[in-house]
Structures are given as C-alpha cells and as structure tokens.
Amino acid sequence: MILQCTGVVKEFPGLRALDDVAFELRHGEVHALVGQNGAGKSTLVKILTGVYTLDAGEIVLDGRRIEIRSPTDAETHGIAIVHQDQHLVPQFDVTRNAFLGRELVNATGMLDFDAMRTATRAALDRIGADFSPDHLAADLSVGQREQVAIAAALLQEPRVLILDEPTASLSDREIDKLFDVVENLRSGGVSIIYISHHLNEVFRVSSRITVLRDGNVAGRLDTDETDRESIVRLTVGRDLKSLYPKEPVEAGEELLVVEHLSDGHRFEDVSFRVKRGEIYGLAGLVGAGRTEIALSIIGARGLREGRISLAGRAVRNVSPARARDHGFALIPEDRRGEGLIGPLSVRKNLAIPNLSWWSRAGLMSLRKEAERVTQLISRLAIAATSPEQPAETLSGGNQQKVVIGKWLDGQSEVFLFDEPTTGVDVGAKVEIYKEMIRLARSGAAIVFISSDLEELVGMCDRVGVVARGRLEKEIGRADLDLQTLLYWTTAGTRATGPTPAAEVPAAAHPAEEVPSSTLVRPDESVARPARMSPTRFLIRWGTSLGMILSILAMGIGAPDFFRPSNLLEILKQGSILTLIGYGQTLVLIAGGFDMSAGALAQLTSNFAAGMVGRIGTALSFALGGVVGAVVGLVNAFLVIVFRMPPFIATLGMMFVLTGGMLAYNGGQALTLHDLPGFFFFGQGYLGPVPFVVVLLALILALLHLILKRTRPGLRMYAVGESLPAARLRGISQARALVYGFVGAGLVVGLTGVLQTSYSYGASAVPTGLDFMISALAAAFLGSTFSRTGELDVVGTTIAAMFITSLSNGLILNGVSNLALPAIQGGILVVSVLLSVIQKRDIGQINIF
Amino acid sequence: MVLVLLAFEVLRPIYLSPANLLSVATQSTILIVMAVGLMLTMSMRGVDLSVAQVADASGLLAAALIVAGQPLWLAFVAPVAFGLVTGTINAVLMAYLGVPAIIGTLGMMFAVRGGELIFSHGAQPQILFTLPPSITDVFFFIGRGRILGVPASIVLVLLLMGLVILLVDRSALGRRMEAVGGNARAAFLAGVNMRATFGWGFVLSGVLAAIAGIILVSRAGIAAPRGAEVYLLDSFVSVFLGTVLSPRSNFTVLGTIGGALFVSLLGNGLTLLGLGASVKYLVYGTAILAAIAVNRLRSA
C-alpha cells in the first residue's frame, strides 16, 4: 500500500463535499475513481495535490502520516497530476513547458537547456511521443499536449500519478497510445489514480474501482469481479423522481427542426426535432459539443452546413440579435461570464433583450419597463432587495433566475437551457424546473442541455445523446431511465467517432480560447503552419516584407541613405528610443504596461544635467539607475498591492514624474558644456562606431541573455503569455511583475542619463508621452517578427531602428517631417491590425 | 477635493468670488465636452486617445474656413462632419476590425496630428481676431456671447449635456452601451449588437470633441495647431476623478462633469497662486492614484 486516506472530510459553505471518505492505492496499481459530477472526485484530488487542505482525516504515504498544505508539498511527496485542461505556454517549446517552474540551472546560474532537453527527450521516449523537445507547444495537437503534460509529470519522478479525465480530447489512436503509456508506467512501479467518465476505459485500464457518490464512498471493487451495470447502479444509487415537478404536456406541432448541422470541427451532422410543449434533452459529457451546438443555433458561432427551421419556415440566425427576433432564447452555460451583466441592476438585466420593444424613437418608457420587471420578479420569485440591486450581488440561484427571466416576455418560443442548474441550490432548481414546465405548457419548445443525467431523466420527454460532436442516440420517454442514459453517455462509441483530434485546429480547443477582451497580447492561438495560405503568409511575413520594401524605396530615392556613415548615424539616432523600448518590452513580457517610461527617462535626464558637474559621470549614472529602479518598484507595488490596472498606475506615475521633473528644473532646459568625459557616452566614437551604439549592443546582449537563458526571464514570459499555465506550476505573478517593472525602471533610468550626454543637456518640455508611445510601437512592431508574436529585445531593436530610419530616410527623400506623425500612427495601427484581424473581437481593453 | 479648493480660497480670497467661478465655468466647458466623450468610450472598456487631437483639428478647420472666406455655416458643419468621420473610422477599427482601442485611437491621434501639421505648414496658427468683426461676430458668439446674461458656451454645454444624459439614462442605445461595458459577451448573447454599440461610443466621442474644438477657437479667436493637445491628459484626469464622485465608482456623466470642473478650478487656483505646471502634474498624478486606490478600498 503506497497511499491511504481515511476519514477525509472537506466542507464548503453549505456543502459537505467529502464526508468520511476512505481511499487506498496499492503499489503499482491503476485505481479508477468514478462518480457523477459533484460526487467529490475533484475535491479529493485537490486535497491530494495540495490545492485544498482537508478539514478532518489523515493521509498516509508509505506508512508515514503526511500533511499536504500546498502544491509544493504534494510535489515533494512525489504526488503529480496531469490536469484535464492542458495549460501549456503556447510560445514555449516542449522542453521549456516540461520544466516550467522546476527549471535546471548550471553552475553559472544560466538555464541548462542541454540537460533539460535530454531529460525531456527521455521522458518523451518513455511515453512513446513522436515529436521532439524542440517543437513549440502551439504547434502540437491536443493529444500531443496531453503527452507533454504527462512527460512534465514524469520528470518529477512521481510515485503517485493522478490522471484527471486524460482522454477527454483525444482521438482513438491517441487513447490507445495513452493506455500503453499508463501500462508502461504501472509496470515501472508508478501507482496511478485514473479519473474518468468513460466506463469502458476504466474497465480497460484499471485493476480496482472506487465509486464516489454525494461525498461518500459508494463502493470499492476489483475490476475483474464487477461489470458496467454494477458500477452504474453504485454511481446513481437513489430515487430522486420526487424532486422533479414533471407534468405531462400535450405536444403540439413541430416547432424547432434542426437538420444536418455541422460547424466544421466541434460537431457534425446534428439533427433533431422539438415539438411545442416538449422538453428535449441533450446529454453528453462536458466537451462533447453540446454548448457549441446551442451557440451555433442562435448565431453566436459560425455554421458550415445545416438547416434550422421554425414552425416549418427556414430561419438563418446570423447573429444572436436576429435569433432573438425569431424567438430564440439561450440561457448560457457560463452564468457569470455569459449570462449575467454583473454590475448592472436586476431591472436592467431583465430588460436587455427587449429594449427596442419598450422604447419609442430610441427613448425608453421607464414606466412600462418597471411594470414588466416587477411582474417578472414576482413570477420567478427572485429574492432581490429591490429591482435596483446589482445583479452580481444576488445568490447563484437568483442570478440564474434573472438570466432566465429576461427571456420570459412572451416573444420567445424556443428556449435553449445550457446547464441551467449548476451551482444552484435545490430550492432554486425546483423553481427553474417549474418555469420550464410553464413554458412548455404555453407552447414553447425547450432544449435542455445538462450533464446531470438525473435531471434529464426527471424532466425530459426525449433525450439526444451527444458524443464527440455527433448525436449518437435518441432515447424516447418510454426508454428513458438513468441506467440507459448513463450507459449511452459513457459508452464511448469510438469506432464511429468522427473527428480525430489531430485534425482539429489547435485554436478550436476551449483552453485555447482567448478571452474576449484582452490587453493587447500577441496572438496566442497560433495555427499550425502545415500549408501556408497566401493570407497566412502575408500575416506572418507582411511586416518584415513591408519594412524591407520601404527601406529599399528610401535607398533608391536617396542613395545617401545606404552610405555606411548614414547607417551608423541611424543606429546612433535610434539608440535612446531603442533603450526605452527595452524598458517597455520588459514590462510587457511580464504582462504589464508602462505609461511612465518616457517621463522617467526625462526625469533622470534632468537630474543628470543638473548634477553631473558636481557629482561626476559615474555617480550620475548610478543615481539614474537607482531612481529608475525605485520608480519601477513603486509601480509594481501599486499594481500588485492595490491591484491597480498597470495602465492607470503608471499613468499616475507619469504625472508625478513629469511634475517632479518640472519642479526640479523650474521649467528651464538645462544645457551642459565642457564635460568631454560625460559626453563621450552619448557622442563619442570608437573608430567609426558611435560609442552609444556599442553600449546599446552590450545592453542588448545582456538583456537577451537574461530573458532567454535565466530562470527569472523564462518565468516572466510564462506569466505574461499564459498566466493559468504559470500558476499551475507555482510561479508567482507578483515576482515576475516586480522583475519586469524594476528591470524596466533601471534600464530607462540609465537611458535618461545617457540622453543628457547625447543631447548635451536635458529638455524641459514634457515629451515623455510621445517617447513612451514610440517605444510602445517599437515593442509591438518587434513582436510581429517572431512566428508566435513573442516580444523580445532583438525584435524591439529592429523595429525601433526601422522607425528611426524611416524619419531619416523620408527626410533624405525630401519628405517634410510634418508628415512623420501621420506615418508613425499608420505604422502603429497596421502592425497591430495584422495580428488582431483574425480574432474578430472588439477592441475592448481590460485596463480600467 | 473640497479641502484642496478651500485651501485655495484661504490663500486667495478672490478664488471663490462669483466672477472668478463664472469665468472658470466658462473655461471648463471645453474640457467637459471632451471628457464626457472620452468617458462614453471608457464606460464600454474602450478609450479614445484622439479626442484632444480631433478637437484641435476641428478648431483649426473652422478657423481656416472662416479665414478663407467660406460661408459661416460651413465653419460649423465641416468640423462636426470631420469629428463624425474620424469617429466613424475609429469605430470601424475598434468595433469591427478589433484593434485594441488604446492602439487604434493612438494611431488616429498621430494621423490627425500629421494631417494638421501638413495642412498648417508646420503649425502656423489661423488668426481670427484680426478679421473684421462683421465676419467673425456670429462665430465668436458661441465662445464669447451671452444669452440672458449667461455665457453662450455654458448654455450650449448645458444643452449638450442634457442630451447626453438623456442618451445615457433613457435611451435604448445608452442601455446597450451600459450592457457592453458590463459584460460584452452576455450582451451579445442577449441580442445586443455589440459591434455597433461599441462603435457608437467612438462616433459620439468624435462629434463631441469636434464641438469642443469649435468652442475653443470661438473663445480664443485663434487656432494654434497642437494647442488643444493638453486637454487629453486633463480629460483623463476628469474621467478618473469622476468615478470617485459617482456613488458606485462607475463612469457617469455628472461625475465626469464634476471631475472636469475640479480640474478647471484646480488649474485656475494654481494660476492665481502663481504655481506652475509642476504642481499641476504632481496634483494630477496623486489625484489619479488616490482616486483608484479609494475605489479599490471601497470595493474591497
């Protein structure tokens, strides 16, 4: 016996998730953990992996009682988990992903990529993976990502490995391979806890099965001595018919007819019909494609094929607005994220779909609205203190009633309920069921999507079972019971399964979906470059091509442009901008944003101009660096401790710094002369090469080394590019932000001093904002060079030099420098447009 | 905030005299119109960094048309049409193409600035006050005239703000804007045309900025290119301070007006005390940081 849990209790407010649970795992066995949603499986796993701590009970590992208080504790005890959602950093290769959070460093403190690559290759070989450690995670199929996650778990040399729904997104071939891997590990002495809804898999792979039900152990059986039916009986185990207020409603004409619906990747050839008065269930496992079907029916997702008709008339729902006009209503799965408009009042939430009906000439009739809202609140028994209460402050059940209530105006006829009762207390559940019955009786057609099979059996007239994007089976009322439904939803009819995951574009996986509003981040869902279409080619290489063409054009127009002395001059002119761009890049890499960079450079520039005569060159630079680092630290403090959006915190900082600058120089420009030693930094030459360019090259090399070859650099990227992945590996976001802000402050502070040396003094005109904006443009433009849109200092350098050469070249070509701002603005928009145009979001920014 | 204002009064008793207050109110009209436009985009989690530049260009356009002897009505219509066009381009970029608002409107700001510089041959001002009064009288009325003893610009802005409040509080569009700001995805699934609604914010903001530009030139009698750019930061500060003034820390028209009045009073007070830009920036910075910190503490 390797692992033994006894008397485990875990309570949440109002819910005893685990009640005196015992679990044991023998050395070298595969032990399956099954149960319905909410039975307690994930709670138990989270206790074992240190996400939750238990309220009572004990865990014994190898005969010794252990405490697991954090994910790190679990790791040191040799317990590793492969999560259901593969959170990998798409822009990292397999090696970096596998070692993220546990990186190996060599004697010099640099990341030891050779050792890590070798270990990763060994782990990949062990599980028979067919890709190399150098592949980017973004290029891997869903199944291959799963393998990366398993390899990462193996690198910890675990003694207990937990696989949580490992096959949820795998193709048959990948599943076979996974089972080989599991068998290999088991015979190699690893003990495995296998969690799955698919009973056929459980029977194939496990030697024992523990069934959880309502937070209790319903049974523990040897796999060889039991069968599917017994397990299903244990999983269900009770009669709950009484909970469901189902009444027979006489079905009317066929209202909703869905024929051969396909969207090209998540579901295929889905057809069903719902009559007036009918409740039609859609059963299936999470991720089977039910939610996508509902979204496509109301026009929130695209359809490739298929027909939807309403009362015999074909309808084309091109948008949810059109669907609403046709009488469709969706109660979405994610109540907080997609259903409720949290900050708005109950009244405003209830009125949202009907605004145009309650208003004349664009103005709303508040009286009519108030009447309807009062009716709805009492009809659904919504417990709100007043209609003006913000909806997000209601309890879960009442929130759901509000989401449902907004469609109960008599205009909707087709209701799509997607998991309407998750996270809702029993009382509210019954209210929701009653409302469904009431709607059915009034002649509506209802589609009821649920993973809670009991409620489907309790409420539906017919149920369609969706598996892997296909409607596999339709069960009529007469045959509808829990056993049958459970049998079909877990049958795993793989033989006929349609889409091997390998053909699914990576972007289709839900874990990949970019939140609808993001602060400008590089495109995360990079599709695989199997065959590059002309559009894709343009998106990938368009920026570089455009740059080369514009430089060539400038060179042809003015041959002087290409003279070596002019090129060196451009490098010199662009140095300061590039350096401030580095600061901006550092902050952006860690997922922040810095409005104050330009103002900071100007402040330290003025300090240097005012003091260099007295304190000397070395101390001036030291002062600039210290001031910069302190400002960066304050920025980080504001962002982390006050949870201020970086944009605002640094905007405030920008004002403070500008004010400080003006207070220091009294509004007068400071000019310097006769300081050859100091001026050498900005204006000196080493042979033909400007010294400032040499400095730039040194700083570039140093920053590049830090970002790409050290642990803090790697972790900054991880935090900025995929925060969930970083969190799962125990990486601190706060620390990455501190590195980013302080690093940026240091670089920018020094740059200010350098600028004073470059321009023989300091300006008193607040130009910080303009400088900041050009630097930002350079950082973004630079990120379009890499295939994954990764920000890095090399790209920033090229982009900043391009921007500089543009003004240089245009002036050489006789273009007035008056046109420069317009050209700069154009470049900025176009460079970003290239990377966002495919996402089809609106340009909201989560920074206020 | 009240304390700061009272401190000014103690230091300079003229500060809260009716004459000074009225002059500050008149000055603040430009900022109010611009800041409210910015607020409309920010209430939907957007931002419009081009407001000040659009106001600048609109004023320049109006002045240039008058100097060129064009009919007077054109000096009103053309700038507003210009604001409408830039606002619409912004709307297409942000709402339909998905460019992050902070980048897209920044690009618009630069584009407009470049256009202005080319048009004005390197920021040469268009001078109106040297023209014969017969030409400029009507145009100057907005900025300098009085209706029943009240400055015309105040009357105009009160009317405009009345319209904006009607739009925000009572119209279906205003409700949709609130919904998109609260949860764009949920609004979309409930049948709100998310793109059109988001886009309207930029269009309104462009038009309001253009009107602000006309008021500015009408009062100053001169259109100096890039002269209105300082209003961008002032607008930002007004909007953020406005969230502190509103009961639930959200973006409101009245809050923003209050914020803009405070910013104007602050500027006036600092001028009366003979304090320069450095103190202004320091106060702005601390005010923004304090405003957000207070909001965070309130919500925690």
Side-chain angles (χ1 to χ4, degrees):
Chain A
M1 201 71 63
I2 179 160
L3 179 75
Q4 198 158 19
C5 311
T6 42
V8 173
V9 175
K10 178 70 194 173
E11 290 199 56
F12 296 106
L15 175 73
R16 188 163 256 226
L18 291 178
D19 188 9
D20 192 19
V21 165
F23 180 78
E24 56 174 50
L25 185 64
R26 287 191 195 128
H27 191 77
E29 80 164 334
V30 176
H31 194 139
L33 196 56
V34 300
Q36 298 205 60
N37 289 331
K41 292 174 308 208
S42 57
T43 312
L44 182 59
V45 166
K46 283 179 175 161
I47 285 175
L48 289 176
T49 52
V51 179
Y52 297 154
T53 46
L54 38 71
D55 295 333
E58 62 172 17
I59 303 171
V60 175
L61 188 74
D62 277 338
R64 233 161 25 86
R65 192 178 162 172
I66 58 165
E67 302 266 341
I68 305 176
R69 303 198 165 279
S70 71
T72 330
D73 284 356
E75 208 173 286
T76 38
H77 290 303
I79 303 175
I81 180 166
V82 175
H83 289 278
Q84 189 174 353
D85 308 319
Q86 291 327 309
H87 285 294
L88 301 182
V89 180
Q91 288 92 332
F92 280 3
D93 62 14
V94 171
T95 306
R96 285 179 177 79
N97 268 300
F99 273 95
L100 186 60
R102 294 181 290 273
E103 306 85 354
L104 304 179
V105 291
N106 59 24
T108 57
M110 296 288 120
L111 290 172
D112 191 346
F113 281 115
D114 289 338
M116 288 198 280
R117 195 173 291 118
T118 314
T120 307
R121 181 165 290 136
L124 289 177
D125 286 347
R126 197 165 154 200
I127 60 174
D130 58 359
F131 49 90
S132 93
D134 300 325
H135 270 86
L136 288 187
D139 292 341
L140 299 179
S141 76
V142 180
Q144 290 171 321
R145 288 162 193 236
E146 185 83 34
Q147 291 179 313
V148 174
I150 296 173
L154 291 184
L155 288 169
Q156 300 173 49
E157 296 294 337
R159 293 186 299 159
V160 176
L161 179 64
I162 305 171
L163 299 172
D164 187 1
E165 292 284 351
T167 61
S169 42
L170 299 192
S171 69
D172 292 354
R173 205 162 30 90
E174 290 170 321
I175 289 171
D176 286 344
K177 206 183 235 170
L178 177 76
F179 285 167
D180 291 346
V181 170
V182 168
E183 180 50 34
N184 259 332
L185 293 175
R186 193 198 58 77
S187 53
V190 180
S191 314
I192 292 167
I193 303 176
Y194 189 94
I195 300 169
S196 180
H197 280 292
H198 296 275
L199 285 187
N200 56 344
E201 290 173 7
V202 165
F203 275 89
R204 208 171 131 189
V205 76
S206 73
S207 55
R208 288 196 298 166
I209 303 172
T210 292
V211 182
L212 288 180
R213 186 175 70 222
D214 296 335
N216 293 292
V217 176
R220 178 159 55 233
L221 306 133
D222 286 333
T223 310
D224 294 343
E225 294 165 13
T226 185
D227 54 23
R228 285 176 60 94
E229 281 65 35
S230 320
I231 299 293
V232 168
R233 220 174 302 125
L234 283 172
T235 316
V236 179
R238 69 194 143 145
D239 177 40
L240 263 178
K241 281 267 147 70
S242 54
L243 181 64
Y244 303 102
K246 178 72 181 163
E247 297 171 20
V249 175
E250 195 164 330
E253 48 153 355
E254 250 172 20
L255 185 60
L256 174 69
V257 177
V258 172
E259 290 169 295
H260 309 300
L261 234 49
S262 300
D263 75 337
H265 41 254
R266 292 309 295 274
F267 57 87
E268 203 176 303
D269 198 18
V270 170
S271 305
F272 59 89
R273 293 153 183 269
V274 190
K275 299 195 181 85
R276 285 187 185 277
E278 242 188 342
I279 300 179
Y280 184 88
L282 275 183
L285 301 170
V286 173
R290 300 164 307 166
T291 298
E292 289 79 7
I293 294 172
L295 288 174
S296 292
I297 289 177
I298 67 148
R301 285 177 100 252
L303 268 183
R304 203 160 69 179
E305 272 166 53
R307 237 170 83 90
I308 300 165
S309 28
L310 192 67
R313 210 162 38 85
V315 291
R316 281 196 63 228
N317 291 333
V318 293
S319 68
R322 187 68 64 80
R324 175 204 54 203
D325 296 341
H326 286 140
F328 286 75
L330 171 74
I331 287 84
E333 179 183 23
D334 176 3
R335 180 168 59 233
R336 281 168 181 280
E338 307 202 307
L340 206 67
I341 304 175
L344 265 57
S345 66
V346 172
R347 169 173 64 91
K348 290 177 179 175
N349 265 284
L350 286 172
I352 269 296
N354 313 314
L355 293 173
S356 47
W357 300 333
W358 294 353
S359 54
R360 283 180 65 183
L363 284 189
M364 302 200 45
S365 161
L366 295 186
R367 194 180 47 82
K368 246 195 264 175
E369 183 193 13
E371 276 171 21
R372 295 298 281 269
V373 165
T374 320
Q375 281 171 16
L376 285 173
I377 290 178
S378 65
R379 169 172 172 181
L380 286 157
I382 297 171
T385 51
S386 92
E388 303 308 316
Q389 186 179 349
E392 63 198 353
T393 60
L394 296 173
S395 73
N398 284 301
Q399 287 182 0
Q400 187 66 295
K401 289 186 201 171
V402 170
V403 174
I404 297 171
K406 68 182 170 200
W407 298 109
L408 303 182
D409 45 60
Q411 312 281 338
S412 304
E413 292 195 305
V414 176
F415 287 81
L416 306 160
F417 285 86
D418 192 355
E419 304 278 6
T421 60
T422 44
V424 160
D425 61 277
V426 178
K429 263 187 196 178
V430 176
E431 297 276 350
I432 291 167
Y433 297 143
K434 280 187 182 156
E435 197 50 56
M436 293 170 91
I437 299 285
R438 205 171 341 177
L439 287 168
R441 219 187 291 127
S442 71
I446 292 170
V447 176
F448 185 6
I449 299 172
S450 176
S451 303
D452 182 342
L453 302 182
E454 285 178 8
E455 68 178 13
L456 287 178
V457 172
M459 292 301 298
C460 294
D461 298 299
R462 280 182 300 140
V463 173
V465 179
V466 183
R468 320 240 155 207
R470 275 179 186 266
L471 199 73
E472 292 286 352
K473 170 81 183 168
E474 198 167 285
I475 307 167
R477 183 78 196 157
D479 304 320
L480 191 58
D481 59 40
L482 212 43
Q483 261 85 346
T484 317
L485 205 49
L486 195 55
Y487 181 85
W488 279 101
T489 47
T490 59
T493 41
R494 291 289 160 64
T496 57
T499 4
E503 287 175 18
V504 178
H509 192 253
E512 279 291 314
E513 267 175 23
V514 187
S516 66
S517 39
T518 47
L519 174 58
V520 275
R521 294 299 309 167
D523 193 354
E524 283 191 53
S525 48
V526 181
R528 282 176 299 151
R531 259 187 24 240
M532 205 179 249
S533 68
T535 349
R536 183 146 294 160
F537 178 82
L538 207 62
I539 286 172
R540 171 74 186 89
W541 295 110
T543 324
S544 319
L545 213 65
M547 282 190 187
I548 294 171
L549 286 180
S550 14
I551 287 185
L552 279 180
M554 288 186 298
I556 292 165
D560 277 353
F561 180 75
F562 278 128
R563 277 183 29 208
S565 61
N566 188 51
L567 293 180
L568 281 173
E569 185 61 25
I570 290 175
L571 290 181
K572 184 179 161 194
Q573 286 170 358
S575 297
I576 303 287
L577 175 64
T578 311
L579 284 167
I580 295 180
Y582 291 164
Q584 199 63 255
T585 309
L586 285 173
V587 177
L588 286 169
I589 284 174
F593 195 90
D594 192 356
M595 290 288 286
S596 66
L600 172 61
Q602 216 183 353
L603 180 73
T604 57
S605 167
N606 273 278
F607 280 168
M611 294 187 211
V612 67
R614 270 170 292 145
I615 63 175
T617 303
L619 272 181
S620 296
F621 276 102
L623 179 76
V626 170
V627 170
V630 169
V631 168
L633 203 59
V634 175
N635 277 335
F637 176 81
L638 292 171
V639 170
I640 295 162
V641 177
F642 281 99
R643 286 175 296 117
M644 276 189 205
F647 175 81
I648 297 176
T650 55
L651 180 75
M653 179 57 81
M654 182 189 90
F655 280 124
V656 172
L657 296 176
T658 308
M661 184 266 291
L662 291 174
Y664 179 75
N665 62 22
Q668 301 295 312
L670 301 168
T671 45
L672 298 174
H673 40 83
D674 296 337
L675 289 166
F678 180 64
F679 291 152
F680 180 75
F681 282 88
Q683 288 292 349
Y685 284 84
L686 285 179
V689 185
F691 184 67
V692 65
V693 176
V694 178
L695 265 183
L696 183 73
L698 288 176
I699 295 175
L700 171 64
L702 182 69
L703 285 179
H704 192 71
L705 197 67
I706 291 175
L707 285 172
K708 301 283 174 161
R709 310 285 303 196
T710 70
R711 192 179 277 174
L714 188 76
R715 293 183 173 190
M716 279 165 66
Y717 271 113
V719 165
E721 277 164 2
S722 178
L723 191 55
R727 287 229 170 101
L728 273 182
R729 305 302 185 87
I731 291 172
S732 147
Q733 183 195 14
R735 193 173 300 170
L737 279 172
V738 170
Y739 289 149
F741 275 114
V742 173
L746 191 66
V747 172
V748 172
L750 289 172
T751 307
V753 183
L754 196 60
Q755 193 180 5
T756 303
S757 157
Y758 176 86
S759 51
Y760 305 108
S763 145
V765 186
T767 53
L769 192 64
D770 291 356
F771 236 127
M772 192 291 297
I773 285 163
S774 305
L776 193 65
F780 276 121
L781 200 57
S783 77
T784 61
F785 292 131
S786 86
R787 188 159 67 78
T788 51
E790 193 171 78
L791 292 148
D792 77 334
V793 281
V794 178
T796 303
T797 313
I798 298 175
M801 289 306 172
F802 172 72
I803 292 172
T804 312
S805 69
L806 209 57
S807 20
N808 174 296
L810 288 175
I811 290 169
L812 279 184
N813 274 288
V815 175
S816 136
N817 61 355
L818 303 177
L820 289 181
I823 292 169
Q824 251 176 317
I827 293 172
L828 183 67
V829 173
V830 171
S831 66
V832 173
L833 196 59
L834 286 175
S835 64
V836 297
I837 198 153
Q838 282 192 310
K839 277 202 238 163
R840 306 288 296 134
D841 272 327
I842 58 175
Q844 287 187 327
I845 31 183
N846 272 343
I847 55 178
F848 301 121
Chain B
M1 270 155 70
V2 176
L3 280 182
V4 176
L5 296 185
L6 282 180
F8 283 130
E9 172 64 12
V10 172
L11 293 169
R12 274 291 151 114
I14 194 181
Y15 184 58
L16 291 183
S17 69
N20 189 47
L21 285 185
L22 192 65
S23 109
V24 173
T26 318
Q27 281 166 23
S28 68
T29 51
I30 299 154
L31 179 59
I32 288 175
V33 176
M34 230 182 284
V36 165
L38 177 65
M39 184 278 291
L40 290 179
T41 58
M42 286 173 66
S43 73
M44 289 190 282
R45 292 170 184 272
V47 71
D48 188 354
L49 297 176
S50 67
V51 276
Q53 205 69 52
V54 168
D56 202 59
S58 305
L60 185 69
L61 185 60
L65 286 171
I66 293 176
V67 170
Q70 295 293 323
L72 192 65
W73 61 267
L74 201 59
F76 291 103
V77 173
V80 173
F82 173 75
L84 194 68
V85 169
T86 53
T88 309
I89 296 174
N90 274 337
V92 170
L93 281 177
M94 270 40 89
Y96 290 88
L97 295 180
V99 177
I102 199 168
I103 304 289
T105 58
L106 195 65
M108 174 59 77
M109 176 183 118
F110 275 121
V112 173
R113 179 184 295 175
E116 271 186 75
L117 289 178
I118 296 168
F119 175 78
S120 66
H121 306 291
Q124 279 170 14
Q126 300 284 329
I127 300 165
L128 292 182
F129 53 73
T130 53
L131 294 176
S134 58
I135 299 179
T136 56
D137 259 2
V138 181
F139 186 74
F140 282 169
F141 181 76
I142 292 182
R144 300 173 172 183
R146 284 173 178 257
I147 297 170
L148 301 174
V150 183
S153 57
I154 294 189
V155 176
L156 175 70
V157 168
L158 283 178
L159 279 176
L160 265 181
M161 290 303 111
L163 282 177
V164 174
I165 289 176
L166 199 65
L167 175 94
V168 169
D169 285 352
R170 294 293 301 273
S171 77
L173 176 61
R175 198 62 76 74
R176 292 194 189 104
M177 291 171 68
E178 241 183 301
V180 170
N183 184 340
R185 175 76 179 165
F188 170 65
L189 290 180
V192 170
N193 187 335
M194 162 180 85
R195 294 185 191 281
T197 308
F198 195 57
W200 268 112
F202 293 98
V203 174
L204 289 169
S205 160
V207 170
L208 285 173
I211 294 174
I214 296 176
I215 302 176
L216 176 70
V217 173
S218 159
R219 211 189 53 235
I222 180 172
R226 307 195 58 173
E229 284 174 14
V230 288
Y231 281 101
L232 176 60
L233 294 181
D234 288 5
S235 301
F236 254 112
V237 180
S238 307
V239 173
F240 281 123
L241 291 181
T243 64
V244 184
L245 292 172
S246 84
R248 283 185 38 227
S249 303
N250 44 8
F251 297 112
T252 58
V253 179
L254 289 177
T256 304
I257 294 176
L261 285 174
F262 176 78
V263 167
S264 305
L265 281 168
L266 185 73
N268 176 263
L270 293 172
T271 314
L272 285 181
L273 287 177
L275 292 172
S278 62
V279 183
K280 185 178 102 173
Y281 281 117
L282 285 172
V283 174
Y284 279 8
T286 17
I288 287 185
L289 294 179
I292 303 302
V294 166
N295 280 348
R296 296 282 139 159
L297 294 178
R298 251 206 262 176
S299 65

